[in-house]
Amino acid sequence: SGMLKKVRLVIAGNDYYINTDEDEDYIRSLAAKLEKDLTAMSNGNPCLSTTMAAVLCALEYSDECSRRDRIIEQLKDEARHAIADSASATVEANEAIREIKRLSEENLRLRRMLENK
């Protein structure tokens, strides 16, 4: 990222000029994937116009994004639960440590009392 630059892409025989601050190779890889997907879509159905193929590709990409967003949300939820569980385990461990300390001191006090009898 950084300065805006103009990248020329050729997709389905048309020139596109993209103003971007992304890495040029990254933008070209997106265009190459789209070109490949458009070709596959058109080969699968010769009646499709480029526009129709592009719309179907857009729909496919949109579906992919939505699915990934859902997975990301699920992972975030799982992470939040794991963090909460870990925090409560830490609290329990600290309470147990305090209790062990208290019982040790009590034990020591009772021993001393017995020794002094």
Side-chain angles (χ1 to χ4, degrees):
S1 292
M3 288 279 296
L4 271 185
K5 55 190 165 295
K6 188 172 274 193
V7 179
R8 176 176 170 263
L9 304 172
V10 181
I11 302 168
N14 292 306
D15 283 5
Y16 295 91
Y17 291 89
I18 308 291
N19 288 316
T20 181
D21 62 352
E22 289 289 351
D23 180 63
E24 195 170 318
D25 289 339
Y26 169 68
I27 297 299
R28 292 197 184 287
S29 75
L30 293 180
K33 179 186 178 350
L34 179 55
E35 181 77 40
K36 185 172 78 64
D37 292 347
L38 283 171
T39 303
M41 192 77 74
S42 299
N43 290 345
N45 188 347
C47 300
L48 286 182
S49 68
T50 303
T51 304
M52 290 165 102
V55 168
L56 291 174
C57 281
L59 199 56
E60 231 171 63
Y61 296 162
S62 190
D63 177 45
E64 244 174 64
C65 281
S66 289
R67 288 173 193 273
R68 286 189 185 152
D69 284 346
R70 278 203 299 275
I71 289 167
I72 288 167
E73 282 311 308
Q74 286 169 355
L75 290 172
K76 279 182 180 172
D77 277 349
E78 286 171 22
R80 276 193 288 267
H81 289 311
I83 289 166
D85 289 347
S86 165
S88 90
T90 302
V91 167
E92 285 171 21
N94 287 338
E95 284 172 2
I97 289 166
R98 277 197 298 276
E99 184 63 3
I100 289 166
K101 207 171 158 193
R102 192 188 65 72
L103 290 170
S104 297
E105 285 164 4
E106 177 75 356
N107 192 11
L108 196 61
R109 199 176 60 75
L110 291 171
R111 275 198 177 153
R112 286 199 182 121
M113 272 174 61
L114 285 173
E115 284 166 10
N116 291 336
K117 272 198 168 180

